[in-house]
């Protein structure tokens, strides 16, 4: 899907102002620096200023306004909650010996927001900030899709090839029944992972906590049961910390 040109220009203007060393830029500097027509630049700046997203100084320099802070407040709350989960995520890695991560849903995609690497020579994990579509994110996507309606799942799986859709549907079905989504080489022979849903509070699209290892880490059925139980226990504890953090933020 293509970007809307004027919105793309507005985003570029905000990012340019946010990263400016002097803390502010003039309309002329923005127009020349970004290659945006002056008339378009002025219209965008005027709109953002009227909505308190930008503030204009007496010198005609634009800086970020407090309106953006209001918009970002919800994300700031999520960031605060995730910071509280950094320690527990490390404890999950220590308890399992496997790398772990927390992925947050953003629309049809999931973003890796926290990770804790296993203390071993070779470990597998996704870099913080990596982004994938729900249908392509293995156990993470399955854990999140498991909480959605069948119609929504069909829409999000889209025109994925029949074999992959069948495999994902099977993992989702198991996740609905057990609370654990397993992708043990199912979608990528090199990736073996378990995920479970993680609630980040009312109004948020949800998240998943995941442990990732090699095939030998999951080969034994008893070991898989132990890992699943440990993952669930830590996820439950994390949700308790989330609820506590949200209560504190509301007070």
């Amino acid at each position: 899907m293509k970007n809307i040109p004027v919105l793309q220009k507005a985003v570029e203007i905000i990012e340019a102002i946010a990263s400016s060393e002097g803390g502010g830029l003039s309309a002329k500097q923005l127009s020349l620096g970004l290659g945006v027509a002056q008339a378009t630049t002025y219209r965008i700046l005027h709109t953002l200023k009227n909505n308190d997203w930008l503030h204009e100084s007496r010198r005609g320099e634009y800086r970020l306004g407090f309106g953006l802070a209001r918009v970002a407040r919800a994300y700031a709350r999520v960031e605060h909650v995730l910071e509280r989960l950094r320690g527990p995520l490390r404890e999950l890695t220590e308890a399992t010996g496997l790398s772990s991560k927390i992925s947050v849903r953003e629309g049809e995609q999931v973003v890796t927001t926290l990770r804790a690497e296993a203390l071993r020579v070779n470990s597998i994990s996704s870099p913080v900030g990596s982004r994938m579509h729900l249908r392509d994110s293995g156990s993470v996507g399955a854990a999140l899709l498991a909480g959605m309606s069948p119609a929504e799942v069909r829409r999000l799986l889209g025109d994925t090839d029949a074999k992959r859709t069948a495999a994902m549907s099977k993992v989702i079905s198991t996740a609905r029944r057990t609370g654990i989504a397993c992708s043990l080489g199912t979608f990528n022979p090199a990736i073996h992972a378990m995920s479970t849903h993680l609630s980040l509070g009312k109004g948020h699209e949800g998240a998943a906590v995941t442990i990732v290892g090699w095939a030998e880490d999951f080969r034994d059925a008893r070991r898989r049961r132990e890992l699943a139980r440990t993952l669930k226990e830590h996820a439950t504890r994390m949700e308790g910390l989330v609820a506590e953090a949200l209560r504190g933020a509301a007070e």
Side-chain angles (χ1 to χ4, degrees), residues 44-57:
I44 291 172
L45 291 172
H46 180 73
T47 301
L48 295 175
K49 178 183 172 182
N50 284 349
N51 285 277
D52 200 23
W53 282 29
L54 295 180
H55 166 72
E56 184 181 7
S57 71

Side-chain angles (χ1 to χ4, degrees), residues 36-107:
V36 179
Q38 283 192 14
T40 301
T41 301
Y42 278 111
R43 285 198 298 270
I44 291 172
L45 291 172
H46 180 73
T47 301
L48 295 175
K49 178 183 172 182
N50 284 349
N51 285 277
D52 200 23
W53 282 29
L54 295 180
H55 166 72
E56 184 181 7
S57 71
R58 291 181 179 180
R59 297 173 56 185
E61 293 177 334
Y62 290 86
R63 293 175 171 80
L64 299 184
F66 286 107
L68 274 175
R70 291 195 297 271
V71 174
R73 194 170 295 145
Y75 177 74
R77 285 196 295 269
V78 172
E79 205 170 41
H80 171 66
V81 165
L82 289 172
E83 190 58 35
R84 293 284 298 272
L85 299 182
R86 192 177 298 277
L89 190 68
R90 167 51 58 187
E91 291 172 9
L92 173 60
T93 284
E94 292 171 353
T96 61
L98 305 178
S99 294
S100 61
K101 64 178 181 177
I102 291 176
S103 306
V104 173
R105 181 187 172 195
E106 289 187 350

Side-chain angles (χ1 to χ4, degrees), residues 23-200:
L25 293 171
S26 68
K28 185 175 181 180
Q29 287 175 312
L30 289 162
S31 176
L32 293 174
L34 298 174
V36 179
Q38 283 192 14
T40 301
T41 301
Y42 278 111
R43 285 198 298 270
I44 291 172
L45 291 172
H46 180 73
T47 301
L48 295 175
K49 178 183 172 182
N50 284 349
N51 285 277
D52 200 23
W53 282 29
L54 295 180
H55 166 72
E56 184 181 7
S57 71
R58 291 181 179 180
R59 297 173 56 185
E61 293 177 334
Y62 290 86
R63 293 175 171 80
L64 299 184
F66 286 107
L68 274 175
R70 291 195 297 271
V71 174
R73 194 170 295 145
Y75 177 74
R77 285 196 295 269
V78 172
E79 205 170 41
H80 171 66
V81 165
L82 289 172
E83 190 58 35
R84 293 284 298 272
L85 299 182
R86 192 177 298 277
L89 190 68
R90 167 51 58 187
E91 291 172 9
L92 173 60
T93 284
E94 292 171 353
T96 61
L98 305 178
S99 294
S100 61
K101 64 178 181 177
I102 291 176
S103 306
V104 173
R105 181 187 172 195
E106 289 187 350
E108 297 185 2
Q109 298 187 319
V110 290
V111 184
T112 301
T113 54
L114 285 179
R115 67 175 184 173
E117 299 294 347
L119 299 178
R120 54 203 297 185
V121 176
N122 294 309
S123 61
I124 302 173
S125 188
S126 303
V128 170
S130 62
R131 182 182 296 268
M132 296 184 73
H133 194 282
L134 279 162
R135 64 171 174 261
D136 300 320
S137 55
S139 67
V140 174
L144 290 167
L145 289 165
M148 302 179 201
S149 68
E152 183 71 354
V153 170
R154 286 194 297 272
R155 184 185 72 80
L156 289 168
L157 291 181
D159 57 357
T160 311
D161 67 83
K163 185 176 180 180
R164 190 176 181 86
T165 297
M168 180 60 99
S169 297
K170 186 175 181 180
V171 176
I172 292 170
S173 177
T174 301
R176 283 175 174 155
R177 188 176 70 254
T178 66
I180 295 289
C182 292
S183 176
L184 306 181
T186 308
F187 307 105
N188 184 326
I191 298 178
H192 291 67
M194 284 183 176
S195 297
T196 192
H197 183 268
L198 180 67
S199 174
L200 294 182

